[in-house]
Amino acid sequence: MKASKGDIYMGVVGIVVLVIVVVLAVIVIGIYNQLVALRQNVKQGVADIDAQLRQRHDLVPNLVNTVKGYASHEQETLDAVISARNKAATGAIDSNDEAGLRVALDRLMALGEAYPDLKASANFQELQRELSDVEDKLAAARRALNAAVSRYNTGVESFPAVVFAGMLGFTHADFHRLDDSEKGVVDQVPNVQF
């Protein structure tokens, strides 16, 4: 039996449609996988900041207790540090709380200049070095998060991903993610006693 021109035409059209559907599916799968990888990088950046904030918050009680032994009459500064630390760790989470903690820690470190014995204390020096290291790592983690967010947002907005991103559940990430990154820190408030 001989195929008619209409049958051949329909067969060719069917194959072309099938090829187009397969190519489109491969493109959508590729876009989805790329966006998932970019989103995971953002989540990793948030987790890295969380880890650094935990370490920072864990160092504060040790610093306060070390300084307390040398500068017991500096109660106002010590109280301010603990208050800022607790607010950053338990209050309405806000990047301003972390900034307040940073200012309070700077004041605490300045006490080292006023108390030569404290400044010479090996414990104080080690805690100061650790805090400086944590601050450097925190800044690096924030830069890495911002880069990951930028790559993710670029991926979501780039063609052809922009056509499918919304349908696949991908939305823009926020550059100001400190509030999200601090959620894990909220659970762990160490007991600081004067």
Side-chain angles (χ1 to χ4, degrees):
M1 201 184 238
K2 207 173 194 186
S4 70
K5 287 184 181 183
D7 291 338
I8 293 173
Y9 177 74
M10 290 302 287
V12 170
V13 168
I15 291 172
V16 169
V17 167
L18 181 62
V19 167
I20 290 172
V21 167
V22 168
V23 168
L24 189 59
V26 168
I27 289 172
V28 170
I29 290 169
I31 289 170
Y32 179 81
N33 289 339
Q34 179 186 18
L35 292 177
V36 165
L38 291 170
R39 183 173 57 194
Q40 286 305 110
N41 288 340
V42 171
K43 288 179 180 180
Q44 179 64 49
V46 171
D48 290 346
I49 288 176
D50 181 58
Q52 296 307 317
L53 288 172
R54 283 177 192 268
Q55 191 172 1
R56 176 207 264 175
H57 291 199
D58 290 346
L59 283 173
V60 170
N62 294 330
L63 277 168
V64 168
N65 288 331
T66 300
V67 172
K68 184 170 59 171
Y70 288 93
S72 59
H73 64 282
E74 295 287 354
Q75 193 67 38
E76 180 182 323
T77 298
L78 299 173
D79 287 341
V81 170
I82 294 305
S83 173
R85 187 259 181 241
N86 289 340
K87 186 175 181 186
T90 64
I93 297 170
D94 185 332
S95 61
N96 290 330
D97 293 339
E98 281 299 322
L101 177 58
R102 181 72 210 136
V103 168
L105 286 172
D106 287 344
R107 285 179 50 204
L108 180 66
M109 292 307 195
L111 286 178
E113 299 297 321
Y115 294 90
D117 289 341
L118 174 61
K119 188 176 179 180
S121 164
N123 288 342
F124 182 73
Q125 289 175 347
E126 178 62 19
L127 290 169
Q128 194 173 25
R129 186 197 60 73
E130 285 181 33
L131 185 61
S132 177
D133 186 49
V134 167
E135 291 299 323
D136 290 344
K137 288 177 183 176
L138 185 56
R142 285 180 177 144
R143 286 190 302 274
L145 175 61
N146 286 341
V149 168
S150 178
R151 285 189 301 272
Y152 172 77
N153 285 345
T154 299
V156 168
E157 293 174 5
S158 297
F159 185 81
V162 70
V163 175
F164 303 104
M167 291 184 287
L168 296 172
F170 294 94
T171 58
H172 283 46
D174 186 6
F175 279 98
H176 306 287
R177 295 285 301 257
L178 273 181
D179 55 334
D180 290 341
S181 69
E182 292 178 301
K183 285 182 181 174
V185 176
V186 171
D187 302 337
Q188 299 184 356
V189 180
N191 183 20
V192 178
Q193 299 174 359
F194 291 107

